[in-house]
Amino acid sequence: MATQLEPDVKAEEDAFREEVQQFLAKHFPPELKGKGSALAGVDGPTNESALQKAWREAVGERGWGTPTWPRQYGGGGLTKRQARIIDQEFAKVGAYNPIGGMGVMMFGPTLLEYGSEEQKMEHIPPICRGEIRWCQGYSEPNAGSDLANLQTFAEDKGDHYIVNGQKTWTSGGQWADKCFAIVRTDKSDKHRGISFMLIDMDAPGVEVRPITMISGTSPFCETFFTDVKVPKENLVGEEGQGWTIGKRLLQHERTNISGGGRLASMMAHSLGEIAKKYGETNEAGELADAVLRDKVADFEIRWNSFLLTARRAVEESKAQGGVSEISSVLKKLGTKLSQERSELLIEIRGLQGLGWEGEEFSKGELDAVRGWLFGKATTIYGGSTEIQNNIIAKRVLGMLDHQ
Amino acid sequence: MAVLNEEQEMLRDMARDWATNESPVTEFRKVRAAGNPQAYNADAYAAMAEMGWAGVIIPEEHGGSDFGFMSAGLVLEELGKTLTASPLLATTIAASAIVLGGSDEQKARWLPKLASGETVATLAVDEGAKHDPSAIAASVSGGKLTGTKAFVHEAHGADLFVVAATDGLYLVEKGDGVTLTSRALADQRSHADVAFDGAPADKLEGGGDSLLDDVLDRARVLTAAEMLGMAQQVFDTTLDYLKQRVQFNQVLATFQALQHRMADLFADLAQMRSAVEGGLQAIDGGFGVARAASIAKAEANRVLHTISNQGIQLHGGIGMTDEYDVGFYLKRARVLEASWGSSGYLKDRFATLAGY
């Protein structure tokens, strides 16, 4: 139910909307309409054009890429309602938010909550300006879903730590400037022996090796730390508090994987419309393949129901405060549905939907194939579906630990 | 659950208290044991009407509270949890037809009586075992309706039938030319084939060409709200059972296989709730109703189907007994799934609305 706004609030919002419109008219180059942020993805180097750079700097300067973050750290210092106005006005002219990546989605919100004043002053402004790319140092060869089993060790040397160990599945590690990592500072306590620290990717002893995936791309890396020196001021929170901070960050990650705008825009094209382009229709203009039509409708109904669920989670968390525990449900459902969609897209297109390369295939077709394969990772990373099930069962439903 | 206003919260809490205290499943057992084809307790329905529940979607000038469909859904959800046998759902659906399509005179005549509980009404559309509003043969000539409607919900208690004929919806009163043949279904509620043989019929002239579709969409969403309560209750009961039942010297809830199945059901239930609430909000907001109603009932069908089956499986043998409640939900679930559109019907409708 829409809340009736007070007249003066309404006037203020109209004024703000006009401010955004003027900003867009002045700074957004029409050539970039419909394009995406070079920085937001983890799947390639920045390769930013001069136009893109100017757009990023203009938005970053205002803090409008991170509109609700505090002004003193470079954010916009705006209300959620104002942030929504920015979204709406950007969308109207086909402008993208050039500020993105893991720094915005995961690390920034976590540092704002747990970081010291000095750390916030140092790290948040470059994120707001889109100058720094962050990567995530969580998973290890023997600590994937059993994340707390991590072994990378940070030895206390007084004013600094010496870090040794190996991380894996470091998304975009080869293009990142800095890494937020959880490492072991105490070998005697599985959970309380973990600390959260920030590591420069160009520090001596950091080595990155990209891993080629089934999709043919290499957005993930193995990252090796050999006697890497990390100053004490790069420890976030207390030593031993890393598990708590790290888990908080994962909540942000989950929300972004499941309910994020990227997924919504990917789903903007109705599968039914696509199916009509690739398949026969009957005299009523319906898909002639009744089985496929039923499958597509079944999927679209569940997908719409998922969107309603994501919207409901936002409304509930706004009303009740805090991050909704439904984030595990959204992660689990959103990733499953996006995988189902990719499979259906292949079914709709037949072998034309399985092209690996060549001009006989459209860019959309080729992207869909790579996306289908890369998308298999979404139910594995960010806490696998099985881990989400454990979280739901134990934390939400109160089912006891299994033996 | 949707963010509610104060009035809705009060209504929901009142319905929850009443259903829990005055109308637990043991009350349904009593109705069943009584064997009366009407299959509800008239005193209980009078109490509901007294609390204003029969008039939730009826305008104030006709004796209702005009709280809207979201509010009606909240009440039906609570009653669904305890399988309260009543004609509230059927009457609310029928009332929506009069609100949408009735003349001032028809509204003034019927809506106050529906709101007060004095009159019970029901919607009669389908003429076969499957929902198919495109296959209507009942017709009206000279103000007299002739035809037979199949499996009409709450027919035995109904004083007023909202009947779909070839050229629109008609109000037909119980009495001359109206004959009921009971059709006992697995849910052991009131169902009957109703034969109209030259029964006096009063046409609902308003509401436009889409009146029947609009009423059916309301029927779908309101039915889905009762189904939501049922699904929630089966889920909660099953979870409680798993937390106390010991096998192999272990509480069942500690087994990961069962934890993951419950997590799946929990996610399904979240989807069902969003879809149903989305349908109710669409009706109140007056936009995208046809699409939202298809989503709401399709999701309600899918999820309640799964949860009612899993409810039995996870209870093991005890779930198979008549002494235990969970089987009642399974039986009622299938009746509601088949009413106003099966999953197949609703998927077809969704695809048609989407243009493929």
Side-chain angles (χ1 to χ4, degrees), chain A residues 272 276 287 293-294 297-298 300 302 304-306 309 312 316 332 386 389-390 393 397-398 400 402-403, chain B residues 1 243 250 253-254 256 259-260 263-264 266 270-271 274 277 291 299 302 347-348 350-352 355-356:
Chain A
K276 273 172 80 167
L287 289 173
R293 181 171 181 266
D294 183 85
D298 186 85
E300 295 266 318
R302 287 181 292 120
N304 276 286
S305 181
F306 170 74
T309 307
R312 180 161 70 86
E316 284 171 15
K332 165 186 159 79
E386 289 72 18
N389 282 341
N390 285 347
L397 303 180
L400 309 171
H402 58 274
Q403 303 305 308
Chain B
M1 121 135 292
K243 284 180 180 176
Q250 240 173 295
T254 62
Q256 197 178 38
Q259 293 180 345
H260 285 200
D264 281 343
F266 181 74
Q271 292 260 91
S274 315
E277 291 177 356
R291 191 165 173 277
E299 284 291 83
R302 176 179 73 86
K347 282 188 269 185
D348 174 70
F350 180 88
T352 302
Y356 60 86

Side-chain angles (χ1 to χ4, degrees), chain A residues 226-367:
Chain A
T226 310
D227 292 334
V228 176
K229 189 174 169 182
V230 177
K232 272 279 172 73
E233 58 260 33
N234 283 12
L235 179 74
V236 177
E238 304 287 319
E239 197 176 279
Q241 205 190 351
W243 187 242
T244 307
I245 301 172
K247 276 196 302 187
R248 181 69 175 161
L249 185 136
L250 288 176
Q251 281 190 324
H252 294 294
E253 181 179 33
R254 244 170 257 147
T255 308
N256 277 296
I257 292 172
S258 58
R262 197 179 62 84
L263 195 62
S265 66
M266 192 174 101
M267 302 281 188
H269 300 285
S270 147
L271 275 181
E273 287 305 313
I274 298 173
K276 273 172 80 167
K277 283 189 197 129
Y278 284 83
E280 305 278 321
T281 50
N282 62 21
E283 59 278 8
E286 293 172 354
L287 289 173
D289 181 343
V291 175
L292 181 64
R293 181 171 181 266
D294 183 85
K295 268 195 201 178
V296 169
D298 186 85
F299 171 81
E300 295 266 318
I301 285 170
R302 287 181 292 120
W303 169 245
N304 276 286
S305 181
F306 170 74
L307 290 182
L308 288 168
T309 307
R311 195 182 76 186
R312 180 161 70 86
V314 171
E315 284 167 4
E316 284 171 15
S317 72
K318 250 191 285 180
Q320 291 148 17
V323 178
S324 169
E325 274 193 314
I326 211 171
S327 66
S328 284
V329 170
L330 293 179
K331 202 269 177 183
K332 165 186 159 79
L333 291 174
T335 53
K336 173 171 175 282
L337 285 166
S338 65
Q339 289 181 351
E340 265 188 64
R341 186 180 192 275
S342 297
E343 296 285 356
L344 261 173
L345 205 48
I346 288 171
E347 187 177 335
I348 285 166
R349 290 168 167 164
L351 291 176
Q352 189 67 25
L354 282 163
W356 191 248
E357 57 194 12
E359 287 170 6
E360 303 82 3
F361 300 101
S362 71
K363 183 173 183 304
E365 287 165 352
L366 293 174
D367 285 351

Side-chain angles (χ1 to χ4, degrees), chain A residues 397-400, chain B residues 238-245 251-253:
Chain A
L397 303 180
M399 298 174 89
L400 309 171
Chain B
T238 304
L239 181 61
D240 286 347
Y241 179 75
L242 294 179
K243 284 180 180 176
Q244 52 95 1
R245 173 76 171 165
V251 175
L252 283 182

Side-chain angles (χ1 to χ4, degrees), chain B residues 187 189 226 230 328-336:
Chain B
D187 67 347
R189 293 278 296 270
E226 178 176 332
M230 292 166 63
F328 292 173
Y329 291 83
L330 176 77
K331 291 182 271 191
R332 177 72 172 160
R334 293 303 176 275
V335 170
L336 294 182

Side-chain angles (χ1 to χ4, degrees), chain B residues 257-274:
Chain B
L258 303 183
Q259 293 180 345
H260 285 200
R261 213 182 303 173
M262 290 305 283
D264 281 343
L265 297 181
F266 181 74
D268 272 341
L269 189 56
Q271 292 260 91
M272 178 181 182
R273 179 170 292 286
S274 315

